[in-house]
Amino acid sequence: MRIILVGWGVVGQGFAQILLRRKMELVKDYGFRPRIVAVVDKEGAIIDPKGLDLEQMLSLKAEKGTISTKSKNGCLGRSALDVMESMEAEALVEVTPTNIKDGEPALSHIKTAFKTGKHVVTTNKGPLALALPALTELADYNNVQLRFSGTVGAGTPVLEFAKKCLVGDSILSIQGILNGTTNYILSEMDEKHISFQEALKDAQKLGYAEANPTMDVDGLDAAAKLVIMANWIMHKKVTLKDVKIKGIRDVTPEDLEDAAAKGSTIKLVGSIEENLKVEPTQISRHDPMAVGGALNAVTFVSEFAGEQTIIGRGAGGLETASAILRDLLDIKENIASKMIA
Ligand code: HSE
């Protein structure tokens, strides 16, 4: 499978590392031979239709901080759209940073990939939160597949758990802790009786929260993930504007103490029932969703199988990259089964 990789940050590099480490097994166990024919970063593109030397590219990035200006195959200023329009490949892996305002540039990358007949795997929540119903239609229209399991839970297979393990059952509702940064902040406030601002500073020091933490603490990141789950798992045609969102800025140590007196704690919970909402919510300390630190936890209530909770790390370069590989293998399997049918 020839792949164009757009984005060379921690997730893009994590994906390259996994491909290098699992190269033999991917061929032996799955007959999968991924070949990265182009990498596009902020400065330009590096291209080799025969397949790029990923080891060399990882060292270049580590030593020089950039790849397109330093590689012999580098094309400075060459855009992702241009690369997709001019190069043959079966898939686009899109791992640029999330932009929740207009989804760009990822939205254009994904649309161009569809138009040029490429399957898409993305970890970018922006285009999906704003336009998932339209994007799935566009993928179907162009007879290609769109996969995004790394957008929710990173490496924890939240979307697959619901879609594949609970197949045939009817999922009635979903509740989840979908943002690790806010879970870390609330857990710290609860355990150490410190203020939101103090806990936020700790989270920033540890690299959990961004310098501008609004995506996390104002609930937007969790809301984007909720939209993805509602569309993909529950077939609701919703976007970010359909979610009622309240972040954690107003939660005080006193609120947490009041909750503790009742055997509860406060978590930023996203829920899909009749409506979609994200808000600080009191939950029992014995609830399986009452996870600490930066973990994610999602509880599915289904008609026959009842209640299940999946817990795991919801962020990280290698974790998210493992979801990309899963998605590519899923696409490969679907193509193979269509050919047999
Ligand atoms: N910033 C997110 C979190 C990770 O804290 O969970 C990426 O989705």
Side-chain angles (χ1 to χ4, degrees):
M1 185 186 278
R2 291 168 297 182
I3 297 166
I4 295 172
L5 173 61
V6 178
W8 191 244
V10 279
V11 176
Q13 291 172 67
F15 178 52
Q17 283 165 10
I18 293 184
L19 290 187
L20 284 168
R21 267 169 45 189
R22 302 272 296 142
K23 195 174 174 177
M24 305 303 274
E25 290 89 347
L26 288 177
V27 177
K28 189 162 68 69
D29 299 343
Y30 308 100
F32 185 51
R33 289 178 179 76
R35 190 165 19 123
I36 308 246
V37 293
V39 172
V40 186
D41 69 0
K42 274 183 238 133
E43 283 112 16
I46 307 97
I47 289 169
D48 186 347
K50 292 202 286 302
L52 289 162
D53 180 341
L54 297 178
E55 214 156 338
Q56 194 187 57
M57 302 220 342
L58 286 167
S59 334
L60 258 185
K61 177 77 180 178
E63 284 158 24
K64 315 269 184 197
T66 174
I67 45 173
S68 52
T69 50
K70 301 288 172 191
S71 162
K72 69 175 167 36
N73 299 325
C75 313
L76 202 59
R78 185 122 185 237
S79 74
L81 300 186
D82 181 26
V83 170
M84 272 187 287
E85 271 157 3
S86 59
M87 276 195 84
E88 284 189 22
E90 281 67 47
L92 163 71
V93 171
E94 216 291 346
V95 292
T96 58
T98 291
N99 161 9
I100 217 91
K101 287 210 173 85
D102 61 7
E104 293 295 355
L107 188 56
S108 300
H109 296 160
I110 294 173
K111 285 186 188 164
T112 304
F114 289 165
K115 261 198 317 208
T116 54
K118 296 171 184 60
H119 305 289
V120 173
V121 173
T122 187
T123 55
N124 191 317
K125 292 169 286 246
L128 309 181
L130 300 171
L132 189 47
L135 285 173
T136 43
E137 264 178 41
L138 200 60
D140 288 346
Y141 177 78
N142 286 284
N143 207 15
V144 290
Q145 299 171 58
L146 169 65
R147 289 289 180 275
F148 38 81
S149 68
T151 54
V152 183
T156 310
V158 176
L159 297 179
E160 289 93 333
F161 180 78
K163 194 88 172 170
K164 295 196 174 167
C165 301
L166 293 171
V167 66
D169 208 331
S170 158
I171 294 176
L172 306 174
S173 66
I174 302 176
Q175 279 207 322
I177 293 168
L178 301 164
N179 182 271
T181 305
T182 46
N183 203 54
Y184 176 82
I185 293 172
L186 290 171
S187 304
E188 287 288 289
M189 287 173 70
D190 193 20
E191 276 164 32
K192 299 185 181 156
H193 308 284
I194 56 175
S195 69
F196 166 75
Q197 287 301 340
E198 284 171 287
L200 172 60
K201 262 195 220 134
D202 287 349
Q204 281 169 326
K205 262 190 231 146
L206 286 168
Y208 289 140
E210 304 292 327
N212 175 0
T214 184
M215 275 285 289
D216 294 314
V217 301
D218 294 320
L220 293 165
D221 177 73
K225 291 167 180 165
L226 209 60
V227 166
I228 293 167
M229 290 202 292
N231 277 277
W232 185 242
I233 300 168
M234 296 178 85
H235 310 291
K236 289 181 187 277
K237 303 249 182 244
V238 289
T239 64
L240 202 55
K241 63 180 169 19
D242 299 304
V243 191
K244 191 176 145 232
I245 309 171
K246 186 171 190 299
I248 64 163
R249 285 185 199 267
D250 296 336
V251 178
T252 63
E254 292 73 39
D255 294 334
L256 283 154
E257 276 160 29
D258 288 348
K262 292 183 235 155
S264 297
T265 184
I266 297 175
K267 298 287 181 191
L268 184 66
V269 176
S271 58
I272 310 173
E273 291 169 346
E274 207 98 313
N275 298 308
L276 277 69
K277 62 180 185 224
V278 172
E279 63 185 4
T281 306
Q282 277 200 22
I283 63 171
S284 160
R285 287 185 188 275
H286 302 295
D287 190 309
M289 255 187 358
V291 291
L295 286 173
N296 282 193
V298 183
T299 299
F300 296 98
V301 179
S302 53
E303 190 175 350
F304 304 110
E307 207 172 297
Q308 281 98 26
T309 301
I310 179 162
I311 298 171
R313 289 202 294 267
L318 283 173
E319 288 85 345
T320 310
S322 79
I324 299 174
L325 182 57
R326 251 191 345 247
D327 284 346
L328 288 168
L329 287 167
D330 188 45
I331 289 174
K332 180 190 175 294
E333 206 175 291
N334 290 339
I335 298 171
S337 62
K338 264 193 200 155
M339 279 161 76
I340 291 164

